[in-house]
Amino acid sequence: MEQEKPTIEGPDPATTLAQAAGLAEHLQRIGVQWLPTADAQSAQALATQFHVADEVAPPPQVENTAPSQASPPASAPADVASPTATPAIATPPAAAPSPPTAAPAFAFALQSDTAAASEPYAGPPLAADARAVQLAAFAETVAACTRCEILSKCRTKTVFGEGNVTPRIVFFGEGPGREEDLSGRPFVGKAGQLLTKMIQACKFAREDVYIMNTVKCRPPNNRNPEPTEIENCREYFQAQFQILRPEYIVCLGLVSAQALLQTKLSVGRLRGKFHSYFDSKVLVTYHPSYLLRNPAAKKAAWEDLQLMLRDAGLM
Ligand code: URA
């Protein structure tokens, strides 16, 4: 009597290829330069993604399930700030920043972000040790910065940023508060404790992600940074992103979102979908300080993070 063959369930080839492409993208972003030996089809997909095999056939098209930048989510979140009437955009930074007075000593050519939405970051990604060296050198440049007369006189320490130098996610805040100014570390005060909880809710530790701010010096009395102060720091955060090139940037609050995306739209308009900064996906959500004052908004912030986690295949 013929025995029935057991069927072995496995992931379908399209899923495998999508996962291989995702892995390749991550490895490429963090500067890994090798190809694993896998089955021929997956290796071809990886090779194509790494641009090392010009002759290989492109991998089969895998449907992109990421939320489209153009299409808003089914239930658009309510606007929380005064709406500016223009339609929601997910477009490149538009206006060229005014050139800073003193050029920093970058070890690399800074890539302009004036027409950059969804273009890849320029050049090959650096390996982790090279990133750490560049960021450390760069933090020293920032520590000596005197572009903003007021901020450079008021600060105790500059707050450059910290964390994993090959992160999937960068959390991008506004600027240092009192505790950060004293310690030189981002998000260590009350808002920082909430941010740490948000990171942990995503099943990450602080050390797994990178945390940085739009401006690197504390504005006096925790006022919002002035537009000129943001422009003075633009070159610094741009260079950090160029080195880190994360898959996701989470803008915490209005200041960082408007600075990065060069928009005047409110957080309410910007949240709930992905925007682009080069080929990083940008998510906008509420600042932890806002959430401390308005706990009811925590639900919406968690929905924002879940959008990213689903897109990243993490839930
Ligand atoms: N708020 C921020 O935006 N950044 C910090 O580092 C701390 C508080």
Side-chain angles (χ1 to χ4, degrees):
M1 198 174 73
E2 206 175 305
Q3 289 236 313
E4 225 177 81
K5 281 203 187 126
T7 51
I8 300 166
E9 296 259 318
D12 66 276
T15 305
T16 307
L17 274 175
Q19 286 170 342
L23 173 64
E25 192 189 336
H26 179 62
L27 294 174
Q28 197 173 19
R29 277 177 180 281
I30 66 171
V32 175
Q33 303 287 337
W34 52 263
L35 283 174
T37 40
D39 67 273
Q41 204 183 18
S42 303
Q44 268 203 349
L46 281 164
T48 308
Q49 184 110 2
F50 272 116
H51 310 295
V52 293
D54 292 339
E55 256 112 81
V56 297
Q61 205 70 44
V62 179
E63 200 185 333
N64 184 2
T65 53
S68 147
Q69 291 172 359
S71 54
S75 60
D79 205 342
V80 291
S82 56
T84 48
T86 33
I89 52 160
T91 48
S98 53
T101 45
F106 293 132
F108 58 91
L110 188 63
Q111 186 178 8
S112 160
D113 69 354
T114 49
S118 67
E119 297 243 323
Y121 291 93
L126 297 173
D129 48 356
R131 290 177 185 213
V133 168
Q134 283 211 351
L135 288 167
F138 189 27
E140 281 185 29
T141 304
V142 169
C145 179
T146 54
R147 289 177 183 182
C148 305
E149 208 190 333
I150 297 174
L151 299 198
S152 61
K153 284 199 179 121
C154 290
R155 75 181 176 224
T156 311
K157 289 186 177 171
T158 51
V159 180
F160 181 70
E162 65 180 26
N164 184 348
V165 296
T166 56
R168 290 193 78 181
I169 308 171
V170 170
F171 287 87
F172 188 40
E174 175 180 321
R178 190 169 163 275
E179 284 84 354
E180 291 79 17
D181 173 70
L182 292 173
S183 67
R185 298 182 55 213
F187 282 100
V188 291
K190 282 223 171 75
Q193 285 161 21
L194 179 54
L195 177 63
T196 303
K197 284 189 189 151
M198 290 161 73
I199 292 168
Q200 288 167 346
C202 297
K203 302 271 190 293
F204 287 108
R206 266 179 80 107
E207 300 72 40
D208 296 327
V209 301
Y210 196 89
I211 305 174
M212 58 186 259
N213 283 308
T214 310
V215 296
K216 312 303 182 194
C217 299
R218 181 194 182 201
N221 304 317
N222 291 349
R223 65 158 167 76
N224 280 358
E226 298 286 349
T228 51
E229 294 163 350
I230 293 171
E231 289 317 310
N232 284 340
C233 255
R234 177 173 299 282
E235 201 171 359
Y236 297 145
F237 68 70
Q238 249 178 269
Q240 284 175 293
F241 285 127
Q242 194 175 327
I243 293 168
L244 296 167
R245 43 188 81 188
E247 280 169 70
Y248 299 94
I249 299 170
V250 180
C251 289
L252 300 164
L254 192 67
V255 168
S256 63
Q258 290 192 340
L260 191 72
L261 300 172
Q262 304 216 38
T263 176
K264 294 267 182 254
L265 293 177
S266 66
V267 171
R269 289 247 172 207
L270 292 167
R271 60 174 289 273
K273 64 187 162 210
F274 290 111
H275 307 264
S276 297
Y277 181 78
F278 292 101
D279 55 1
S280 295
K281 291 180 185 177
V282 179
L283 189 76
V284 176
T285 194
Y286 297 110
H287 192 284
S289 303
Y290 176 86
L291 296 176
L292 288 173
R293 294 192 305 274
N294 302 280
K298 283 184 185 173
K299 184 168 174 282
W302 177 231
E303 281 165 11
D304 294 331
L305 294 177
Q306 284 177 303
L307 178 67
M308 174 180 70
L309 295 175
R310 273 195 298 275
D311 188 72
L314 296 172
M315 70 177 292

